Amino acid sequence: MRKICLIIGAGAGIGMATARRFAREGYYICLVRRSDQEGLNKSIQELTTNGHEAAGFILDVTKPDELEALVEKIETELGAIDTAVYNVGAQIGDRDLNDTTLKVFELGWRLGTLGLFRLAKKLLPYMVERSTGSLLVTGATASVRGNRGQHSHAATMASRRMLCQSLNAEFAPKGIHIAHIVIDGLIDAPDTLGKMLGPDAFEDLKQRKGYEKNGLLVPDQIAESYFHLARQHPSAWTHELDLRPYSALPWWNHVKLDL
Ligand SMILES: NC(=O)c1ccc[n+]([C@@H]2O[C@H](COP(=O)([O-])OP(=O)(O)OC[C@H]3O[C@@H](n4cnc5c(N)ncnc54)[C@H](OP(=O)(O)O)[C@@H]3O)[C@@H](O)[C@H]2O)c1
């Protein structure tokens, strides 16, 4: 039977790297992203040129009903979703309270938390019927640490993390593996960090920390961990994993105490 890996939030970073990794294992890949049709076509072309099966969808997870309709379409027309990756970010850059409007805060919640809740509500019943499936959810430093300018981002990412824990409590005993991955550092991700910084600043960052210095997380390496999580034996499941470059301080160790 065809096995599907559905990736929601599939830019050239974690999204596409995960697609490549699962495709190599014979999965049919469904890529979802919000706006970049050209980027989506390029990704589908890369996968199919390498002999893999893939389909792409432009969809905004904040829009009512579209996410649910897509899950139903895939399940009824393409095959069983064995693994889903919720990878949509909710970063809006640093904004003090005064600059964080109600609208922005609410959008962050829709991206970070409600989208995952909607995916879980629609998808998990299918997985429960089969008593198998994995839901891998990308987190960030903001999932575990609030900071100045991060009101919207930290609130929604922490909420996403807690949603993973409560989903896990209900669904792990039914055979569904829900794993939350704290990405505790910057990723070499052109469609997210790259666009936020702009081409020059992104290249400068890559020169200072990336390439052979390995000070930026490399998407293909993150994808190795995602694949491993989806394949873990039920007797030894990871429910939360954190990843960072070897040279980065972990989130709990950023402040040097002046003793
Ligand atoms: N990049 C970093 O440095 C960093 C650091 C820590 C944690 N993270 C986490 O990593 C995840 C993202 O991974 P990545 O940075 O490697 O990105 P990526 O996989 O390259 O791309 C993510 C894609 O999500 C899509 N997206 C955004 N909003 C969406 C929406 N409303 N509906 C549907 N799709 C949407 C965007 O599509 P379009 O381009 O088509 O709009 C974007 O390209 C996020 O969960 C983020 O919190 C990232």
Side-chain angles (χ1 to χ4, degrees):
M1 199 176 73
R2 187 189 253 173
K3 268 192 183 181
I4 306 251
C5 175
L6 166 65
I7 301 171
I8 302 184
I14 296 179
M16 184 52 187
T18 308
R20 250 180 234 121
R21 186 65 186 88
F22 279 78
R24 286 214 307 276
E25 307 295 327
Y27 279 77
Y28 185 109
I29 307 297
C30 290
L31 298 179
V32 176
R33 62 189 295 175
R34 176 176 44 191
S35 54
D36 187 347
Q37 183 71 59
E38 206 182 314
L40 183 64
N41 295 345
K42 208 170 130 198
S43 297
I44 299 294
Q45 197 182 359
E46 179 193 316
L47 292 169
T48 52
T49 304
N50 287 315
H52 308 307
E53 289 188 293
F57 307 89
I58 291 287
L59 175 156
D60 184 340
V61 298
T62 65
K63 298 262 169 69
D65 303 327
E66 292 183 12
L67 186 52
E68 290 83 351
L70 179 68
V71 169
E72 194 168 319
K73 182 181 161 72
I74 294 172
E75 282 280 343
T76 53
E77 294 176 18
L78 292 177
I81 301 170
D82 169 83
T83 302
V85 180
Y86 191 78
N87 188 53
V88 171
Q91 178 64 276
I92 52 159
D94 282 349
R95 292 193 199 189
D96 281 344
L97 188 60
N98 208 24
D99 298 324
T100 309
T101 61
L102 286 180
K103 206 171 156 195
V104 158
F105 191 88
E106 190 181 312
L107 177 65
W109 170 74
R110 287 186 189 285
L111 290 161
T113 311
L114 187 65
L116 173 62
F117 176 78
R118 288 172 48 204
L119 174 68
K121 230 172 148 45
K122 187 69 191 182
L123 176 63
L124 295 185
Y126 286 111
M127 289 184 167
V128 168
E129 234 171 72
R130 299 188 281 266
S131 303
T132 185
S134 301
L135 174 56
L136 309 179
V137 181
T138 308
T141 309
S143 308
V144 282
R145 193 189 65 192
N147 214 334
R148 181 162 182 164
Q150 292 285 299
H151 306 297
S152 160
H153 190 220
T156 195
M157 294 306 276
S159 160
R160 175 185 290 193
R161 178 177 185 236
M162 287 303 107
L163 181 55
C164 288
Q165 289 189 7
S166 57
L167 288 171
N168 178 60
E170 181 173 343
F171 289 97
K174 297 178 179 173
I176 316 304
H177 186 183
I178 292 151
H180 177 255
I181 305 101
V182 177
I183 304 290
D184 187 20
L186 297 174
I187 306 171
D188 183 351
D191 287 337
T192 51
L193 185 63
K195 284 181 183 163
M196 200 167 94
L197 294 178
D200 292 345
F202 188 48
E203 185 52 37
D204 178 60
L205 176 72
K206 291 196 344 169
Q207 293 290 346
R208 284 186 288 110
K209 294 187 170 217
Y211 302 121
E212 71 287 349
K213 296 192 184 87
N214 292 322
L216 297 178
L217 286 126
V218 173
D220 283 338
Q221 299 306 325
I222 297 175
E224 289 298 326
S225 292
Y226 279 51
F227 185 69
H228 169 72
L229 287 169
R231 280 296 179 88
Q232 282 181 323
H233 188 268
S235 68
W237 273 354
T238 297
H239 294 307
E240 185 161 82
L241 180 75
D242 61 352
L243 298 174
R244 68 187 61 81
Y246 77 105
S247 54
L249 282 177
W251 65 266
W252 64 84
N253 205 17
H254 269 246
V255 179
K256 262 196 172 172
L257 291 178
D258 190 15
L259 295 173

